[in-house]
Amino acid sequence: MRTAIDASVLWCILKQESGWQRWEAALLDAQQNSDLVICDVALAEISPYFADAAEMLCHLEQVGIAFDPIQAEAAFLAGQIFKTYRAEGGPRVHMIADFLIAAHAVEQADQLAALDRGYFRRYFPRLKLVAPVNG
């Protein structure tokens, strides 16, 4: 089993934003049954937090998150779903990066740790989402 991680989750943990401990616990729980992975798009989105790529990759390795680049099938899926989203009047608030991260999880992982802003469930109905337990 593999759990892909959205950049928003890692930002929350890295910056210790509200709820970061619950996200950290959710990832630790997911890690009990699956490998944690991050795609190149999410990696790029968290890169401003680090001084260089080596530091970023070292940190991810230390916390048990492996780099998993997006494959062609996932990129194609993201483009097709984004096309549908735009045809249905979806605004450019959600850029294709969000769709790439979700498509990576659908094609190359089993679930995605991410905040559901509604469009994941709507446009990726097969995608299982991991979220922290409230409380």
Side-chain angles (χ1 to χ4, degrees), residues 36-41 43 57 60 65-70:
L36 302 180
V37 298
I38 185 170
C39 73
D40 32 7
V41 174
L43 193 73
L57 292 171
L60 291 172
I65 301 172
F67 175 54
D68 186 46
I70 295 172

Side-chain angles (χ1 to χ4, degrees), residues 14 24 34 41 58 62 88 97 99 103 116 129:
L14 290 168
E24 184 177 64
S34 68
V41 174
C58 181
Q62 287 174 349
E88 292 176 354
F99 289 79
D116 182 19
L129 293 172

Side-chain angles (χ1 to χ4, degrees), residues 16-34:
Q16 296 188 347
E17 294 174 343
S18 176
W20 75 270
Q21 297 100 332
R22 290 182 313 174
W23 273 115
E24 184 177 64
L27 291 183
L28 288 171
D29 187 52
Q31 200 170 31
Q32 297 300 310
N33 303 322
S34 68

